[in-house]
Each structure stands twice: as C-alpha cells, then as structure tokens.
Amino acid sequence: MTVLQEPVQAAIWQALNHYAYRDAVFLAERLYAEVHSEEALFLLATCYYRSGKAYKAYRLLKGHSCTTPQCKYLLAKCCVDLSKLAEGEQILSGGVLNKQKSHDDIVTEFGDSACFTLSLLGHVYCKTDRLAKGSECYQKSLSLNPFLWSPFESLCEIGEKPDPDQTFKLTSLQNFSSCLPNTCTTLVSNHNISHRQPDSVLMETPQDTIELNRLNLESSNSKYPSLNTDSSMSYIDSAVISPDAVPLGSGSAILSKQAQNKPKTGRSLLGGPAALSPLTPSFGILPLETPSPGDGSYLQNYTNSSSVIDVPSTGAPSKKAVTRISQAGTKSVFSQSGNSREVTPILVAQTQSSGPQTSTTPQVLSPTIAAPPNALPRRSSRLFTSDSSTTKENSKKLKMKFPPKIPNRKTKSKTNKGGITQPNINDTLEITKLDSSIISEGKISTVAPQIQAFTLQKAAAEGLMSLLRDMGKGYLALCSYNCKEAINILSHLPSHHYNTGWVLCQIGRAYFELAEYMQAERIFSEVRRIENYRVEGMEIYSTTLWHLQKDVALSVLSKDLTDMDKNSPEAWCAAGNCFSLQREHDIAIKFFQRAIQVDPNYAYAYTLLGHEFVLTEELDKALACFRNAIRVNPRHYNAWYGLGMIYYKQEKFSLAEMHFQKALDINPQSSVLLCHIGVVQHALKKSEKALDTLNKAINIDPKNPLCKFHRASVLFANEKYKSALQELEELKQIVPKESLVYFLIGKVYKKLGQTHLALMNFSWAMDLDPKGANNQIKEAIDKRYLPDDEEPITQEEQINECYPYESVGTDESQESSMTDADDTQLHAVESDEF
Amino acid sequence: MSTNLFACFLLEMTTPNKTPPGADPKQLERTGTVREIGSQAVWSLSSCKPGFGVDQLRDDNLETYWQSDGSQPHLVNIQFRRKTTVKTLCIYADYKSDESYTPSKISVRVGNNFHNLQEIRQLELVEPSGWIHVPLTDPHKKPIRTFMIQIAVLANHQNGRDTHMRQIKVYTPVEESSIGKFPRCTTIDFMMYRSIR
C-alpha cells in the first residue's frame, strides 16, 4: 500500500507545485480515502491550506487527532488564520489542563520547524496581549533560525529592541554550523553523478565555483571511513569546524535516524518511478541512485540550514575553471571585503526567493509512513524548509541519468536572473579569507578543501546575515521612530537592495513620520514605478498625498489599488483618503469601514476612520475608533494623537495633554506632536512650559513653520510683542505665502499701536488667501475671532476706531490705510452676503 | 395642477428683478469651509403627494422634487438630534419648470421644538432658477445653534396653491481641524504640519 501511494503523492505534489490546487485537492482526497493515514491527512490538509481554504484544513485536522508535529503546526496555523487564537495556543503549547510546554519542549517536539512554531506562538501571545511571552518566543525563534525576518519585525513592532547584531549572526544558531557541513556532504554525494552527467551545463557563474568546491569537498570526504553515513559526517564536521557548536542532538538520535533511513532507502528503491516528469519532486529516486547517504540526514541538512546557503548549482563545471577562479580570488585584494559583502547576499536572496514554489519537493524523498514517531524532526523539516527545493531539483536532476530538460532550463534561468556575474571573485575571496581565519585557529588546517566549500557557503550566509543586520538596524530605528537614523542606515544598503519596494517603503515611511512629505512622496512614487504591484505601505503614500493635497495623484493611486486588490485594507484606506481630500466624508467613512471589514486587525484603518468621524464631528464614534486602533496596536501613536485631539476639541486640556504625551512617548521625535503639546500647555496656562516644548520642537525640526507660529502666538498672548514679531519675521522667510503669518503680524502691530502696519499686514493676509479660505480670515478680521478672547470689541470696529488716529499721520499712510480699511469693510460686507 | 392653471395666464406680466441664482453648494463643500449636515437630521413635511416626498427632496437630484398636497403654509421641518450649528441653507427652485408651483415667499424659523419656533428670515423670491443661499445668522452675524429648522412656503408664484421644492441642503461651518483658534491656513507648507493622520 505504502509503495503504491508514492506515485499518488508525487502527483499531488506535482500538482501543488504547479498551482493546480483543484487537482491536488482531488487527488489528496482520493489518497486519504484510500489509506487514511496521518501522512495522507496531512497532505490533504496541506492541499486545502495552500488553495487558500484554511477553514477546510482546520476542520479536517480538527476532526482527526493530530499527533505529528507537522499536522499540529498546520492546525495551529489554520487556527491563527481563522483567529482562533486560544485554540492555536493550546495546540502549540498545551492548554490549561495540560502543563504548559516550555520553549525547550517545543524545540524538542517540533525539531527543525521549532523556529516557525515559536514564531507562530509568539504571534498568538502578542495578539492576546502577552507581549513579554511573545517576545520571548520571537527571540527564541530567531536564535534557532536567524534567517527569519518576520519575528524580528514583530519584535520591533511591539516595541522591543532586539539587537540586530546579536540576532542576525550565524554563531547564534547552534544548529547552523553543524548543518552547514551536512549540506556539503549531501552535495558531495550528488556529485558522483554530476561527474557522470555529460550534458551538464558549463557556466562560469559563481555557482560553478561553489559546485567546484563541492567537488573538492567530495573527494576529500571520501577519505572518511564512515562510508558517507551522513550523520557521522555531520557530527565530525560540526565538531571540526565550529569548536563552539553543540553536536547535533545526542548520538543516539543520530543512530536512530540512521536506522530509520535504512528501510527507507530500500522502499524508495522499490517505489521510485524513474519515469516521473523531471519537475516532480524527486520522489524517492534519489535514494535509488545514491543509496549511501540516508535521506534523513539529507533532508535535515536542508531544514537546519534552511538551505539558503545552497546556491542553485547548475551542472558540474570543469575543475580547470574552478582553479582559475580561485586563483584570481586569492590575488584580489582583501580590502574589498565590503564589496564582497554586497555581492554574496544576492546569491542567498535569490535562492530564497526561488524557494516557495518548489518547497515541498523533499516530501517525496522520504517515505515516512512506516517510519517510527521519532522521525519527526526530519519530516517536519521537509515541510517547512522551502528553500531547499532548488538544490533538491538539481541533485535529483543529477541523480537521474537522463538530463531532464525542464529543470535544467529552470535552474539556469534562475541563476541568470539573479544577475550575478561579478561575485565569483569576491566569493572566493571571502572564502579564502575565512579559510585563513579558520586555519589560523590552528584546528583544522588539514581539512582545508572541504572547509573551502563550507566557508564558501558560510560566506554566502554570512553575507545575508550582514545584510539582514543592516536592514534590521534600519527597521529597528524606524520602529523606535529614529527616522533620520533609519533613513541613513537604509540609504546605505547596496543599491540593488535599496531599489526594492520594501526598503524604499521603509524610507518613505521614515520621511513621512518626519513630516517631510515631499521626500516621502518622491520615494513612494519611485516604489510605484519599480513595484507597481506593491500594496504594503501604500496607505502611507496615500496619506502623504492627502497631506500634500495632490488629489489627482491620490485618485489615480486609489483607483489602481482598489482595482488590483479589493481584499487589502491599504487599497481601501487609499480610497478613503481620496474621498476625504475631496471632503466627501460620508463616502470616505464607508471606505475606511470597508478597510476594517477586510482586515479587522489593521490599526491604521481605525485611525483614519476616527479622523473622518472627527471631521464630521461625530466625536463619540471617533473616540471608539481610536480606542479600537490602540486595542489592535498599542504602539500606534496616531491613534493616541487622535484621542488627544478629540479631548482638545472638547476643551479637556489635561486629558488632551496626557494623550499627546502618550503619543510622544512612542514617537519622541515628532515635532508636530510636540507642537500640539505646546499649544495644549498654553491652553492650560502653562505658558513657560509651552514655550519650552515649542523650543524643543523647533530644535527637532527647524523647518516646521507651525511650531514657530505657535511660539509666536504664545509670545503674543504673553504680551511679548517684540519677540513675537521677530519670530514671525523669521517665519515669513520660511513660508512667505502663508496669510496666517501676516494675519498674526497684523495683530501684533495692532497691539503695538502701529495701526498702519497692522492694516497693511491684514490686507496682505487677505490678498494671499485663495478664495476658499478667504471667508475665515475675513470673518476673523471682521469679528472677534482672536486666539485670546480678550478683545471684546470686534476688529472691524477697532479698525474704524483706529482710523481717526491714523489720519493724523502722513498723507501717504493715511491713504493706504484708508484703502485698507475700506477693503476690510468691503470684504466684510461681501462675506455677509455670502 | 388645475388650481394652478389660472395662474398661468398671468405669466407674462411678471418680470421684475429676478432672484439671481447662487453658486452650486458643491463648490462650497469643496472649499472645506462648510459641511452638509442634513443627513444627520430628521426631516418631515406638512404634506406631500405620494412619491414626491422627503426622498425626492434629499436625493441630490435636481430633476425630482417634493410636491406638497395640502393647504398653505407648506412646511419642511428639519430636526437635529443635538444642538447644531447651522450656517447656511441652500434651496433649489426652478421657475422655468415649476412655474406656479415655485415658491415666492419663504419663511425660515428656528427653535428647540415645534412650539417655540421663531422666524429669523423671510425672503421673497422672484422667478428663481437655481440655488438660493439663505444665511442663518444671529444679529451678531454668528452662525446660529439650534435643534430645529422649519422652512415655511407662505406663497407661490401666481398664487399657486401647492409648491415644488427640488433640493434643500443644510450647512454647518467646518471647524479647523488643527489646534489653536486660528483661521484656516492657506498654504500647503503650513497645512502639512497642522495635524497627524
């Protein structure tokens, strides 16, 4: 039976790999009906999940007891997707009844996939407001697998400050050093075949060098007396190469693995149909051809290393080429290490990106049905290591005696796409460097050849790590709102990484938080140009355009986004912003509500909805919205700001100050927030404090005109007219066309008794006003609309009063003031007529 | 219709100063200084012909209209849930299509409820064709705050009995969303820093 089911499984995986989910589901259903094993159950659930039907997978798995970790993980994943967090947590860490599993228990239970499990668990904890536990989980997950980014991101978002230098380094990963040699050995085992294969493509890409090194490695490996049992190999290698590395598990575990492997190879010999299409997972073919390495460890390599290190290798290059390259490498200068750092990440990233499509290939390699339960780590490994696929394919290709055309092409295209032409030298350089360093340790000078291959891979991984470190630093800075630092760090990324949607979006967001909307718009429009399919971050872009009042660009953006993805909250936020700018608040509210419907965990949509309700003066609803936003994400400072704003409107100034302060604690660099706090403090009659706050704000962002304006108005209110005037004169330099500035200057002059200058400034204020807002200033001049409600008489009356005094002056001034006064009155009359 | 037929004969002789049409209220909304709040109110009518009621009065469509079906004065009552600042009332009337159904004398009253309404404005319309803006201000020229507005059609053109009203809109002044009691700023450079969003 088990033998028979292998071709079916292969067919299912093939269908999955070709996104033919209906076929995969159908076949998996048939298979499950036939055998009813947990393996088949898992396969069926996977098919459901991959076809986007998490609820199906959930109910299926729920209806059957799941014992294997991979089933448990999938079930938990479904639970989280369906926001059944408690259930998900119970599955992962044991419920209230059972003893809660410690992280170590989880690691032992889930083996290599523990990093993903912990990350998921961390997500659950954070969603249920247990941030401390959540961050523990994330950190553990990262320490297990530093290639994971999302736990790091989540850590930053919940306000933790993980150290990127500590997080993204290989030594922090205990398995890693041990898994690296494993990959080498596997490749070695493949290599025998690759030699035989005449058709293999000769390319002088860096991959070749790698392959070459692998060849070297292989030859040296053959020296080992253990006859290529991987487990022993890995054990030795790990011990040799990284003295600090803990050997993989206990010896017994290794032994058991070996034991499991043996029967498997036999079975796959029977079951592996060699005629399967080349794209299918190698499906037991591999052990057929190379019986020596047990596939368990083979798989494990991939899991541990997440195979990011295995660069897809195309064909076996001739040794000549290799040596030449390596020679060149040694000659080149070490000082170029910065360069090499830039290059290596490509390799890695490339492999990573190619991963997901073929992620499941390893599945078929190990017919695990008969395997004893402690084979878990291996199995789970094939599930979760998506990146191994490419190498898998290659290896499989190599194993099979006929050169399969499709995979060949595929791999080739992949490598070409990466655009890696220069790195050969750098890579080798890196290797040699590493080599020498290792040798200098005096431990393993004899094993240099293998180590060269190993170090090559390690260099690639190291390169990725350094990239992740830089990005991590940038992201961390952004999440703690050190926006300038974030921009600085991210701008120094290598240009091919800089010019990607993710990086540019983060930079755009940093500019956005700095209120440098022009810059932000520039960056985001670049993002739109290079990745017009990008949705994440576009809500920030839309708000940027809202601030800049670019209605055309905003409506183009919102149309495009809503056409592209109606299920993303970002698109609806953009649409809402678009209508908000058109002042069609009711429609905007509908769209923001839709954004919330689409994703109830999207904090920004609540905030935007809240702002919209504030504009329509439905303050109760707005309060609820902002509170919801904070519930979803307590570090969403915009919502705290919104609350403060509402309290300010309700003249509950101390509450307003408190909420603004909360927002400021999250984003201490925001001059706009500081400015608001200053105004509130002034309203609370703490003028000295207000001035301090405003000074701080001006220090942070000297370009923020509103801070200066408010400082001037506070000075004005405190009757420090001279300094207010000076402030306003400076302000005039920054925003020469803002009528409000002239308006305030006019008021100061009026206080100083210089009515002529006052009237002149008032008339300028009105001249600068485009017709829309005109009324308000007219009203302000017309009526008692002054910031300090201390003037009982309307301004118009005052102007009239002042007029007689003015007439004493020179004829010129009299004339001008007359016209001004007339003007004012005229406008006032107009405004009355409406 | 028949009641208004007689009035039609007098059509030619009325050509004094026509009431000039005001601006489209949509333009006002775009400026951001006012906001329509009719949707927050409860609307009622003294009478209406079936199918020509509040829905037609509020549907943003100038082709449809409310037609009264009773004795004068014809009343439109707008009641708010809370005391609301009202700045302007916009009424659309079209003499060209409605002829003797076009109101000629309108009274606007405000108050807390039906029993303490006070007239604040009465206006005469002469062959209006377009939007009529009725500013609702107190003697100090400040927008009024009220629970209820009543619009009464006291007379129609040519002594027509029933009346047509095509649209009514109620506007409230928009408060500046920034803090500080300053009027609206005018440049984007300034406005950008006004708020966080």
Side-chain angles (χ1 to χ4, degrees):
Chain A
M1 198 69 229
T2 45
V3 175
L4 288 177
Q5 106 193 43
E6 270 166 17
V8 183
Q9 279 182 330
I12 292 166
W13 284 114
Q14 192 190 10
L16 278 181
N17 288 342
H18 289 86
Y19 325 105
Y21 296 122
R22 279 180 58 196
D23 300 303
V25 165
F26 182 78
L27 286 176
E29 279 168 351
R30 298 286 71 75
L31 179 67
Y32 182 58
E34 189 76 19
V35 296
H36 246 79
S37 67
E38 185 139 341
E39 180 82 15
L41 174 73
F42 172 73
L43 189 56
L44 179 57
T46 305
C47 291
Y48 283 145
Y49 188 80
R50 290 227 194 154
S51 56
K53 311 278 187 220
Y55 60 90
K56 280 188 177 177
Y58 168 75
R59 294 202 178 188
L60 177 71
L61 291 171
K62 192 83 183 123
H64 302 79
S65 62
C66 303
T67 49
T68 57
Q70 82 246 39
C71 279
K72 277 188 177 179
Y73 177 79
L74 182 57
L75 180 54
K77 183 97 186 133
C78 293
C79 286
V80 172
D81 280 10
L82 302 173
S83 56
K84 299 173 195 285
L85 297 179
E87 212 177 322
E89 185 190 341
Q90 193 173 0
I91 292 159
L92 291 181
S93 73
V96 202
L97 300 173
N98 318 336
K99 193 176 130 286
Q100 282 241 321
K101 288 177 205 161
S102 72
H103 292 167
D104 293 334
D105 294 341
I106 291 174
V107 171
T108 42
E109 182 182 351
F110 287 89
D112 302 311
S113 63
C115 51
F116 300 98
T117 314
L118 283 167
S119 170
L120 190 64
L121 191 58
H123 175 75
V124 172
Y125 281 139
C126 287
K127 277 275 162 252
T128 48
D129 221 19
R130 287 169 287 177
L131 296 184
K133 282 184 118 177
S135 87
E136 260 175 52
C137 284
Y138 283 138
Q139 264 152 1
K140 181 79 185 164
S141 164
L142 279 173
S143 71
L144 288 173
N145 185 353
F147 291 99
L148 295 185
W149 173 258
S150 74
F152 180 81
E153 219 175 52
S154 308
L155 273 176
C156 290
E157 273 155 18
I158 62 172
E160 292 285 327
K161 299 206 183 321
D163 184 0
D165 287 328
Q166 294 302 311
T167 311
F168 297 115
K169 60 176 185 184
L170 295 179
T171 44
S172 72
L173 176 72
Q174 293 181 337
N175 297 338
F176 187 76
S177 50
S178 61
C179 66
L180 263 181
N182 278 350
T183 35
C184 294
T185 50
T186 36
L187 287 163
V188 171
S189 62
N190 301 342
H191 166 75
N192 296 328
I193 301 119
S194 66
H195 263 316
R196 280 176 242 146
Q197 197 170 1
D199 302 29
S200 55
V201 199
L202 279 177
M203 287 166 70
E204 295 214 342
T205 50
Q207 285 88 348
D208 294 354
T209 22
I210 293 163
E211 186 69 18
L212 187 86
N213 284 308
R214 285 178 190 145
L215 298 178
N216 290 339
L217 179 64
E218 174 228 15
S219 56
S220 60
N221 270 345
S222 60
K223 286 178 219 157
Y224 283 99
S226 59
L227 297 174
N228 286 342
T229 51
D230 291 354
S231 45
S232 61
M233 282 276 274
S234 66
Y235 186 84
I236 290 163
D237 281 358
S238 66
V240 169
I241 285 153
S242 59
D244 57 329
V246 181
L248 244 195
S250 62
S252 63
I254 291 164
L255 283 176
S256 68
K257 222 180 284 159
Q258 272 180 286
Q260 294 158 22
N261 293 339
K262 274 168 197 165
K264 247 179 274 158
T265 32
R267 220 178 332 132
S268 51
L269 277 168
L270 288 173
L276 278 174
S277 107
L279 260 185
T280 47
S282 37
F283 191 55
I285 297 168
L286 192 132
L288 223 161
E289 299 246 342
T290 48
S292 48
D295 35 3
S297 54
Y298 186 94
L299 289 165
Q300 199 192 357
N301 305 333
Y302 293 110
T303 47
N304 285 352
S305 59
S306 5
S307 80
V308 184
I309 330 101
D310 314 80
V311 180
S313 55
T314 4
S318 66
K319 282 209 175 181
K320 251 187 266 169
V322 181
T323 43
R324 187 171 52 79
I325 289 162
S326 62
Q327 272 168 1
T330 36
K331 269 177 204 166
S332 56
V333 204
F334 278 2
S335 63
Q336 281 188 328
S337 60
N339 203 1
S340 68
R341 226 189 346 130
E342 278 184 26
V343 174
T344 35
I346 324 174
L347 297 171
V348 177
Q350 189 195 359
T351 6
Q352 259 181 333
S353 64
S354 64
Q357 323 156 344
T358 40
S359 56
T360 42
T361 29
Q363 164 86 10
V364 203
L365 282 174
S366 65
T368 40
I369 299 140
N374 52 353
L376 295 180
R378 175 175 48 76
R379 276 217 225 142
S380 53
S381 68
R382 61 184 139 87
L383 279 178
F384 305 122
T385 58
S386 50
D387 312 282
S388 57
S389 54
T390 39
T391 8
K392 269 288 150 57
E393 257 171 37
N394 283 332
S395 61
K396 171 209 59 185
K397 177 190 73 187
L398 297 174
K399 300 276 145 68
M400 297 192 304
K401 293 214 170 172
F402 57 91
K405 275 164 200 168
I406 301 166
N408 236 341
R409 232 184 295 141
K410 203 175 168 193
T411 32
K412 243 191 281 179
S413 68
K414 256 179 220 155
T415 43
N416 290 340
K417 238 185 285 162
I420 334 152
T421 42
Q422 3 129 294
N424 341 10
I425 295 163
N426 291 322
D427 277 358
T428 29
L429 198 163
E430 188 84 10
I431 298 153
T432 39
K433 198 170 58 169
L434 283 167
D435 260 353
S436 62
S437 67
I438 289 165
I439 291 163
S440 66
E441 279 173 38
K443 296 222 170 186
I444 25 149
S445 49
T446 46
V447 261
Q450 306 107 299
I451 286 164
Q452 199 182 6
F454 166 71
T455 46
L456 182 77
Q457 290 177 331
K458 182 148 179 163
E462 212 40 88
L464 173 67
M465 283 298 132
S466 92
L467 177 72
L468 285 182
R469 275 196 290 273
D470 287 345
M471 287 176 128
K473 277 176 202 159
Y475 193 75
L476 182 63
L478 180 58
C479 280
S480 36
Y481 294 98
N482 282 329
C483 297
K484 283 176 187 152
E485 198 191 324
I487 293 170
N488 192 29
I489 295 171
L490 292 173
S491 304
H492 283 91
L493 287 175
S495 67
H496 52 276
H497 282 290
Y498 176 82
N499 287 314
T500 53
W502 188 87
V503 175
L504 286 177
C505 270
Q506 304 311 314
I507 294 174
R509 204 185 123 208
Y511 278 122
F512 173 84
E513 303 291 2
L514 286 170
E516 291 185 25
Y517 299 117
M518 305 285 191
Q519 292 288 329
E521 191 217 357
R522 191 177 54 80
I523 299 278
F524 277 120
S525 59
E526 180 68 10
V527 174
R528 290 281 298 160
R529 196 181 61 76
I530 55 178
E531 288 184 17
N532 62 9
Y533 48 85
R534 193 169 182 87
V535 174
E536 301 83 22
M538 288 302 115
E539 76 284 3
I540 302 289
Y541 184 32
S542 73
T543 305
T544 307
L545 292 171
W546 184 91
H547 275 296
L548 294 171
Q549 304 192 10
K550 303 212 166 174
D551 47 359
V552 178
L554 184 51
S555 61
V556 169
L557 175 73
S558 78
K559 177 84 173 68
D560 192 36
L561 288 178
T562 46
D563 280 353
M564 186 169 66
D565 188 357
K566 288 194 166 46
N567 290 317
S568 69
E570 289 91 350
W572 293 116
C573 284
N577 269 332
C578 179
F579 280 92
S580 174
L581 187 58
Q582 296 297 322
R583 302 208 168 77
E584 304 205 15
H585 301 296
D586 293 337
I587 302 175
I589 285 172
K590 270 184 202 157
F591 283 144
F592 289 135
Q593 280 169 337
R594 192 166 296 174
I596 292 171
Q597 272 183 331
V598 167
D599 183 358
N601 287 317
Y602 190 70
Y604 196 49
Y606 289 102
T607 306
L608 289 173
L609 181 61
H611 283 306
E612 224 49 38
F613 277 130
V614 169
L615 288 173
T616 56
E617 272 157 61
E618 295 176 73
L619 298 185
D620 293 342
K621 286 184 185 171
L623 274 178
C625 286
F626 288 130
R627 288 185 179 136
N628 265 322
I630 291 169
R631 174 180 59 78
V632 173
N633 179 6
R635 275 179 57 79
H636 189 55
Y637 80 97
N638 309 49
W640 288 107
Y641 162 84
L643 284 178
M645 204 64 207
I646 290 177
Y647 288 122
Y648 180 86
K649 273 180 182 287
Q650 296 174 335
E651 307 199 346
K652 297 173 184 166
F653 295 123
S654 40
L655 271 176
E657 189 188 4
M658 197 194 90
H659 283 91
F660 284 145
Q661 194 62 49
K662 278 265 192 190
L664 190 74
D665 290 343
I666 298 166
N667 181 0
Q669 301 290 317
S670 169
S671 63
V672 181
L673 266 178
L674 275 169
C675 184
H676 279 69
I677 292 176
V679 174
V680 173
Q681 284 169 338
H682 178 54
L684 286 167
K685 313 264 183 257
K686 295 188 276 188
S687 294
E688 284 307 309
K689 241 180 145 182
L691 280 177
D692 281 352
T693 314
L694 289 170
N695 284 337
K696 221 196 286 174
I698 293 169
N699 277 336
I700 287 174
D701 183 4
K703 282 180 291 180
N704 186 336
L706 218 56
C707 291
K708 276 181 166 310
F709 182 78
H710 281 298
R711 187 160 78 174
S713 69
V714 171
L715 289 169
F716 171 71
N718 290 330
E719 303 182 344
K720 293 173 184 161
Y721 300 123
K722 289 285 173 207
S723 33
L725 258 188
Q726 196 190 339
E727 193 74 51
L728 287 165
E729 286 300 325
E730 284 172 30
L731 190 54
K732 227 158 63 170
Q733 306 300 316
I734 306 176
V735 277
K737 288 186 177 171
E738 175 56 56
S739 70
L740 264 189
V741 177
Y742 295 93
F743 175 66
L744 192 56
I745 294 176
K747 290 209 310 189
V748 176
Y749 276 127
K750 192 160 66 66
K751 280 283 182 191
L752 289 169
Q754 294 174 293
T755 320
H756 162 59
L757 282 170
L759 287 172
M760 196 171 74
N761 278 295
F762 282 143
S763 85
W764 277 339
M766 270 185 299
D767 289 346
L768 282 170
D769 215 350
K771 51 189 169 180
N774 213 344
N775 271 332
Q776 290 230 341
I777 288 194
K778 268 185 272 171
E779 275 165 20
I781 295 169
D782 183 22
K783 294 165 199 157
R784 64 184 90 164
Y785 210 124
L786 299 171
D788 40 352
D789 289 321
E790 57 186 33
E791 296 169 75
I793 343 157
T794 68
Q795 194 148 5
E796 195 191 344
E797 283 164 346
Q798 278 194 333
I799 290 167
N800 289 339
E801 275 172 44
C802 294
Y803 184 59
Y805 293 102
E806 193 62 33
S807 62
V808 188
T810 61
D811 283 344
E812 276 175 23
S813 67
Q814 186 190 343
E815 239 176 53
S816 65
S817 64
M818 239 173 96
T819 46
D820 285 348
D822 287 346
D823 224 349
T824 325
Q825 277 166 322
L826 191 74
H827 279 293
V829 173
E830 276 172 20
S831 74
D832 278 351
E833 279 175 355
F834 205 102
Chain B
M1 195 65 187
S2 57
T3 46
N4 290 313
L5 268 179
F6 167 72
C8 293
F9 294 111
L10 304 170
L11 213 155
E12 286 94 34
M13 54 179 286
T14 54
T15 43
N17 300 344
K18 286 186 185 174
T19 309
D24 188 337
K26 278 272 181 278
Q27 287 177 1
L28 280 181
E29 285 176 41
R30 289 277 154 77
T31 63
T33 54
V34 293
R35 187 163 51 80
E36 221 280 321
I37 44 158
S39 53
Q40 294 172 21
V42 176
W43 292 67
S44 56
L45 304 166
S46 58
S47 66
C48 72
K49 190 175 140 186
F52 295 84
V54 175
D55 291 345
Q56 284 68 35
L57 190 60
R58 293 285 304 160
D59 62 1
D60 238 348
N61 181 355
L62 297 177
E63 302 300 314
T64 59
Y65 50 82
W66 158 55
Q67 182 175 328
S68 64
D69 187 17
S71 57
Q72 285 176 345
H74 306 296
L75 307 175
V76 181
N77 306 305
I78 308 162
Q79 288 165 283
F80 294 100
R81 262 169 260 254
R82 51 175 175 241
K83 207 162 193 177
T84 306
T85 311
V86 187
K87 192 183 176 192
T88 315
L89 209 59
C90 292
I91 300 169
Y92 190 86
D94 187 5
Y95 182 73
K96 287 195 190 84
S97 5
D98 296 332
E99 300 184 338
S100 70
Y101 287 93
T102 317
S104 64
K105 198 172 176 188
I106 291 175
S107 162
V108 181
R109 303 145 181 183
V110 297
N112 288 341
N113 52 48
F114 280 100
H115 307 295
N116 66 352
L117 292 171
Q118 283 194 317
E119 183 172 277
I120 56 159
R121 206 80 194 218
Q122 196 179 90
L123 53 156
E124 304 268 343
L125 304 176
V126 184
E127 299 185 9
S129 184
W131 288 98
I132 301 145
H133 295 244
V134 187
L136 300 180
T137 48
D138 61 6
H140 304 289
K141 294 175 181 170
K142 283 183 114 178
I144 52 163
R145 287 176 57 73
T146 182
F147 273 106
M148 181 176 175
I149 303 170
Q150 185 176 67
I151 301 163
V153 180
L154 304 176
N156 287 324
H157 282 75
Q158 302 151 26
N159 281 326
R161 196 192 73 170
D162 284 325
T163 196
H164 282 181
M165 272 203 199
R166 290 176 176 261
Q167 285 297 303
I168 300 180
K169 290 187 176 291
V170 189
Y171 287 101
T172 184
V174 170
E175 277 180 38
E176 176 62 27
S177 63
S178 174
I179 52 172
K181 291 173 185 165
F182 286 101
R184 185 170 301 273
C185 37
T186 53
T187 53
I188 292 173
D189 292 338
F190 217 67
M191 233 179 278
M192 284 188 322
Y193 295 95
R194 193 184 49 177
S195 63
I196 289 172
R197 195 177 159 86

